[in-house]
């Protein structure tokens, strides 16, 4: 069902939807995308990351997501904010998510900078604290939901002139992120600890990889760190994260290199600092992950 945010009336064919089976984790539009998703996802079941921000808002039912080493069990009205280049995945719970309905917003840092116009750092709400999930008072939750629903609509019933929808969307984005940043400063709105599940294995492995990112990292070393046999460790890690240990280490290296490039390091220094042994391997993996070359990625940060 689709709802008018003011009157609760059913609307047909006006909400952008993405099928639960759609595994796309990249943006088609240049600046932002907003859409509704319903049911338990068949995609996003393995750790992944992207070079844009993600907001997930639960419209109905329940939804669970693992972000780095914590799983968040979300309910109606909850918001999950995922920073750029943060490992996350859908966390399946049998029979819990069949009726789940949520709105997904993807947006680039460049778009947030344009919206803020130098007056406000609109990406500040994504800075990690103890949690990246929030539950706001009903008034504010309904206010934010209204902006998201407006953004997810393919057309506004009142709008007739060319360009009005784009202008209204820009206004909704500015209001949404301004309110969101104000609310995220209040620690009392952070997710309650009883709705979080910690994963020590993911935390230990992630911490070790980040500490030794510039050098060679073997499966044997990691298994020793978590006091498991090699094969038991490989199996448990894949069960938890949905990816192999090798893929996890490679992704952590890419995230490290990506961050270094955005902070002004030249590409040659960045890939070596991230532990890649040669440029060809780095280039191949970077293109697979981000869809562009490191050089084009660096163009996004001309002043860094």
């Amino acid at each position: 069902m689709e709802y008018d945010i003011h009157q609760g009336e059913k609307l047909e064919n006006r909400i952008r939807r993405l099928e639960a089976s759609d595994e796309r984790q990249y943006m088609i539009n240049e600046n932002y995308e907003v859409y509704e998703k319903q049911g338990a996802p068949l995609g996003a079941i393995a750790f992944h990351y992207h070079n844009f921000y993600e907001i997930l808002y639960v419209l109905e039912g329940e939804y669970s997501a693992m972000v780095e080493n914590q799983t968040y069990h979300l309910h109606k009205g909850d918001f999950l904010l995922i920073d750029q280049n943060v490992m996350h995945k859908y966390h399946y719970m049998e029979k819990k998510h069949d009726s789940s309905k949520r709105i997904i917003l993807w947006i680039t840092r460049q778009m947030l900078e344009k919206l803020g116009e130098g007056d406000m750092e609109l990406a500040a709400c994504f800075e990690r604290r103890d949690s990246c999930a929030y539950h706001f008072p009903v008034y504010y939750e309904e206010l934010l939901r209204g902006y998201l629903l407006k953004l997810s609509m393919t057309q506004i019933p009142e709008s007739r002139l060319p360009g009005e929808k784009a202008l209204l969307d820009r206004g909704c984005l500015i209001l949404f992120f301004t309110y969101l940043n104000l609310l995220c400063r209040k620690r009392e709105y952070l997710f309650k600890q009883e709705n979080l599940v910690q994963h020590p294995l993911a935390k230990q492995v992630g911490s070790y990889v980040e500490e030794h990112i510039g050098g060679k990292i073997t499966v044997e070393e990691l298994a020793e760190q978590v006091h498991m046999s090699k094969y038991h460790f490989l199996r448990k890690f894949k069960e938890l994260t949905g990816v192999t240990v090798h893929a996890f280490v490679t992704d952590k290296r890419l995230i490290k290199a990506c961050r270094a490039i955005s902070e002004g390091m030249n590409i040659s220094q960045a890939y070596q600092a991230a532990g890649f042994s040669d440029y060809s391997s780095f280039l191949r993996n970077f293109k697979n992950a981000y869809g562009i070359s490191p050089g084009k990625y660096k163009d996004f940060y001309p002043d860094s």
Side-chain angles (χ1 to χ4, degrees):
M1 292 294 181
E2 302 159 0
Y3 301 91
D4 181 279
I5 62 173
H6 298 300
Q7 301 175 11
E9 296 176 357
K10 296 176 184 178
L11 298 170
E12 297 299 330
N13 303 319
R14 286 186 181 148
I15 300 292
R16 292 187 187 89
R17 287 195 176 88
L18 204 61
E19 295 298 321
S21 58
D22 195 318
E23 299 183 21
R24 176 165 67 90
Q25 291 298 322
Y26 58 88
M27 286 176 59
I28 295 174
N29 295 328
E30 184 179 351
N31 295 314
Y32 69 94
E33 293 183 19
V34 186
Y35 54 86
E36 180 190 281
K37 220 171 186 182
Q38 185 171 356
L42 299 179
I45 56 175
F47 258 163
H48 60 279
Y49 55 96
H50 24 68
N51 60 337
F52 49 82
Y53 300 104
E54 178 173 348
I55 292 177
L56 185 147
Y57 168 69
V58 182
L59 271 171
E60 295 178 12
E62 300 179 34
Y63 187 85
S64 298
M66 182 176 173
V67 183
E68 293 188 325
N69 61 304
Q70 294 186 131
T71 291
Y72 298 84
H73 296 301
L74 307 165
H75 298 80
K76 182 178 179 180
D78 291 338
F79 287 82
L80 184 68
L81 280 62
I82 303 174
D83 202 350
Q84 298 176 108
N85 291 318
V86 167
M87 307 278 272
H88 61 283
K89 66 186 282 289
Y90 165 62
H91 185 84
Y92 176 70
M93 295 187 69
E94 190 174 0
K95 298 180 181 179
K96 284 274 190 177
H97 304 148
D98 292 345
S99 61
S100 168
K101 185 185 289 187
R102 55 237 176 247
I103 293 180
I104 310 293
L105 186 155
W106 287 341
I107 191 164
T108 65
R109 180 169 187 85
Q110 292 75 21
M111 185 61 181
L112 286 176
E113 288 173 349
K114 288 179 184 177
L115 295 171
E117 296 182 337
D119 296 323
M120 187 172 183
E121 175 54 71
L122 294 180
C125 57
F126 293 98
E127 293 175 0
R128 290 294 301 277
R129 298 172 177 82
D130 300 332
S131 166
C132 60
Y134 295 84
H135 189 87
F136 303 122
V138 173
Y139 169 78
Y140 291 111
E141 184 237 316
E142 290 181 348
L143 186 71
L144 295 175
R145 179 181 64 199
Y147 294 135
L148 286 176
L149 286 169
K150 279 283 191 186
L151 287 162
S152 69
M153 296 174 71
T154 58
Q155 57 179 304
I156 304 295
E158 303 84 358
S159 176
R160 294 290 182 269
L161 299 176
E164 279 188 335
K165 178 66 167 72
L167 190 60
L168 286 166
D169 282 354
R170 183 180 178 86
C172 284
L173 283 169
I174 291 171
L175 288 167
F176 175 82
F177 278 101
T178 300
Y179 275 110
L180 186 63
N181 274 274
L182 293 173
L183 292 167
C184 287
R185 293 176 194 162
K186 298 181 179 291
R187 294 189 64 84
E188 61 264 35
Y189 300 152
L190 281 168
F191 224 48
K192 297 291 189 293
Q193 287 297 310
E194 57 263 30
N195 289 321
L196 298 178
V197 177
Q198 304 286 340
H199 298 287
L201 176 61
K203 184 176 183 179
Q204 284 178 274
V205 172
S207 296
Y208 185 86
V209 170
E210 287 171 9
E211 288 172 13
H212 300 82
I213 199 77
K216 185 178 179 182
I217 300 172
T218 66
V219 171
E220 288 77 11
E221 287 174 47
L222 292 172
E224 186 177 340
Q225 288 296 312
V226 296
H227 310 293
M228 292 182 182
S229 70
K230 175 181 173 181
Y231 297 105
H232 181 56
F233 166 61
L234 288 171
R235 186 175 69 256
K236 293 295 290 183
F237 190 84
K238 179 68 182 293
E239 286 176 3
L240 177 63
T241 66
V243 298
T244 65
V245 173
H246 175 73
F248 180 82
V249 173
T250 299
D251 287 340
K252 282 290 188 181
R253 293 193 193 280
L254 286 170
I255 290 169
K256 169 72 173 178
C258 194
R259 187 175 295 120
I261 291 169
S262 69
E263 291 172 354
M265 187 179 289
N266 70 51
I267 293 170
S268 179
Q269 290 175 319
Y271 85 77
Q272 292 178 61
F276 285 96
S277 57
D278 60 83
Y279 181 71
S280 61
S281 172
F282 168 64
L283 178 63
R284 182 179 66 255
N285 284 288
F286 195 97
K287 281 185 172 180
N288 286 339
Y290 295 106
I292 58 174
S293 69
K296 286 188 177 179
Y297 182 81
K298 190 170 179 58
D299 290 341
F300 292 139
Y301 302 92
D303 300 325
S304 59

